[in-house]
Amino acid sequence: MRRLALIAIVIGLVGWSLPSFGGLRDNVAVTPEGVVYSVDLEIVDPDSIPVKTILNLTTQKGAEVTVEPIPATLDGSLHVLPAIAWDYETDTVFVFWLNIRSLVSTELLFTSKSSEGWSEATSIEGGVFHYRENLRITTTHSTTVFDEDGNPGEQVPGLRVHAVWWDDDGSRSEAHYAQLTILDGAVAAIETAALIDIVPPQSESFLGDENLSSHALRHPSVQTAPDGASVRIVFGDHTAQALRTIDIIPVANGVLTIPIGVRPAPDLPDMIPAPLFSANYSIRSDFIFGSGPNDIIAWTLDPDGTLIRFRRWNGESWSSESILHLNERFTADIAIEGLYNLIRQTRPHGLLTIPIG
């Protein structure tokens, strides 16, 4: 039974390596020079216990394509859920993934590749009796100087890698966050926290839809702000049965504390009812933020990879569910880009007039 469970985990995650879902997994990065980096999972021994996998980095420069295994994944264990980011200032590729040694022992690992080669793998969070899933990452390139009273001041250069994922240890089931400080292409500091422990307290109680599937809350999202100086995080709160929103600003002269570096999202409510979809399970869910206040698209990809369901938040309620049918020509990547275009092109209020608009 144990072996079958491990195989089932891999089979469920192998779909993330299919090319048609490339843009959905945070495992593709493109540089301004047109270099494409991607990370894929490869099963090397499906009959072992646990199943043995490796992660491969593919680099495409023009028509030249090279594939190399990530050295830290050659230890004969189970490596899944790769996520990738690229830093333009240091020309460094950052790779996160989950190492599963048993059903009760997982570890979140990180490595990077620069002109000097691969770094040693760094453990962000490990330990037994932890089940982790739905890893997302992004980067910021500025940090903010705060004064003694917690007021933000000037911004200075500073590379941070931000990661969110869902963690279940048997007693607590919640979204977690990690912020990595990168100096000269190496990890200089790691800060981790359960997101529910660092969000500002609510001024009033909130209770979401009692019919909401718990799975709908297990997909935290992190996105870089347009100025590159902060990240926006949306994550599920099981107690409230709702979504929480928060902005995190990397701190230049200290560590992440409350309220320094943590603030409510200025154009979103602290809590949003989680969207209800007709499918109770998905292999990926995420959010797309518009330019207008309270403008969000929530989407989810069905387990069989043939449907994307989405709903739009207008500041007061979610729209009815719409469905995109996927096929060989209309892939998930194209569908998600279409949703980005939808939220970018739709005016939140009014009509185009002169001189307005």
Side-chain angles (χ1 to χ4, degrees), residues 139-220:
T139 59
T140 54
H141 296 84
S142 298
T143 60
T144 300
V145 178
F146 286 80
D147 62 24
E148 295 180 355
D149 297 324
N151 299 312
E154 66 173 338
Q155 294 181 10
V156 297
L159 176 61
R160 300 289 190 273
V161 180
H162 308 262
V164 294
W165 66 95
W166 191 264
D167 185 282
D168 194 333
D169 66 0
S171 61
R172 297 183 64 172
S173 183
E174 58 200 358
H176 279 217
Y177 166 77
Q179 182 180 135
L180 284 72
T181 299
I182 308 297
L183 294 177
D184 299 324
V187 179
I190 300 175
E191 299 174 66
T192 62
L195 282 166
I196 197 66
D197 293 339
I198 64 173
V199 291
Q202 294 298 303
S203 59
E204 57 185 34
S205 61
F206 185 100
L207 187 62
D209 195 314
E210 62 181 8
N211 297 317
L212 182 69
S213 167
S214 61
H215 176 77
L217 300 173
R218 300 174 69 93
H219 293 265

Side-chain angles (χ1 to χ4, degrees), residues 289-306:
F289 298 100
S291 58
N294 294 322
D295 194 9
I296 309 172
I297 286 180
W299 62 263
T300 183
L301 177 64
D302 276 18
D304 61 4
T306 62

Side-chain angles (χ1 to χ4, degrees), residues 5 28 33 44-45 57 80 84 92 111 126 129 174 187 192 202 205 221 247-248 257 264 266 270 281 285 292 345:
V28 177
E33 293 75 27
V44 295
D45 189 353
L57 175 70
V80 295
I84 189 173
T92 301
T111 188
F129 303 113
E174 58 200 358
V187 179
T192 62
Q202 294 298 303
S205 61
S221 173
D247 284 0
I248 292 181
T257 60
D270 294 341
Y281 187 80
S285 297
Q345 296 170 2

Side-chain angles (χ1 to χ4, degrees), residues 6 18 20 114 130 139 152 172 187 207 278 284 287 303 320 349:
L6 284 168
L18 297 177
S20 60
S114 64
H130 278 266
T139 59
R172 297 183 64 172
V187 179
L207 187 62
S278 55
R284 178 66 183 267
F287 303 92
S320 59
H349 305 289

Side-chain angles (χ1 to χ4, degrees), residues 53-284:
T53 64
I54 61 173
L55 300 179
N56 294 314
L57 175 70
T58 299
T59 304
Q60 180 173 332
K61 298 181 179 180
E64 181 183 353
V65 178
T66 59
V67 180
E68 59 178 314
I70 296 176
T73 68
L74 297 175
D75 61 352
S77 59
L78 175 56
H79 303 275
V80 295
L81 294 179
I84 189 173
W86 174 78
D87 174 51
Y88 63 88
E89 293 181 346
T90 61
D91 192 19
T92 301
V93 177
F94 302 99
V95 182
F96 288 74
W97 74 95
L98 190 66
N99 178 218
I100 302 176
R101 298 186 180 276
S102 72
L103 289 178
V104 295
S105 177
T106 64
E107 189 174 25
L108 189 59
L109 296 175
F110 160 87
T111 188
S112 63
K113 184 185 180 183
S114 64
S115 59
E116 298 180 356
W118 288 98
S119 69
E120 295 291 331
T122 299
S123 176
I124 299 173
E125 195 176 62
V128 297
F129 303 113
H130 278 266
Y131 175 71
R132 301 175 176 91
E133 61 180 335
N134 301 328
L135 171 68
R136 304 292 308 281
I137 68 171
T138 192
T139 59
T140 54
H141 296 84
S142 298
T143 60
T144 300
V145 178
F146 286 80
D147 62 24
E148 295 180 355
D149 297 324
N151 299 312
E154 66 173 338
Q155 294 181 10
V156 297
L159 176 61
R160 300 289 190 273
V161 180
H162 308 262
V164 294
W165 66 95
W166 191 264
D167 185 282
D168 194 333
D169 66 0
S171 61
R172 297 183 64 172
S173 183
E174 58 200 358
H176 279 217
Y177 166 77
Q179 182 180 135
L180 284 72
T181 299
I182 308 297
L183 294 177
D184 299 324
V187 179
I190 300 175
E191 299 174 66
T192 62
L195 282 166
I196 197 66
D197 293 339
I198 64 173
V199 291
Q202 294 298 303
S203 59
E204 57 185 34
S205 61
F206 185 100
L207 187 62
D209 195 314
E210 62 181 8
N211 297 317
L212 182 69
S213 167
S214 61
H215 176 77
L217 300 173
R218 300 174 69 93
H219 293 265
S221 173
V222 58
Q223 299 180 36
T224 305
D227 63 1
S230 63
V231 294
R232 172 153 299 173
I233 296 174
V234 179
F235 67 97
D237 180 342
H238 269 310
T239 301
Q241 287 291 96
L243 301 174
R244 304 288 296 270
T245 63
I246 189 175
D247 284 0
I248 292 181
I249 308 170
V251 180
N253 54 343
V255 298
L256 184 70
T257 60
I258 301 173
I260 299 175
V262 180
R263 69 181 183 190
D267 54 350
L268 289 174
D270 294 341
M271 277 194 172
I272 302 174
L276 290 173
F277 290 103
S278 55
N280 289 328
Y281 187 80
S282 64
I283 59 174
R284 178 66 183 267

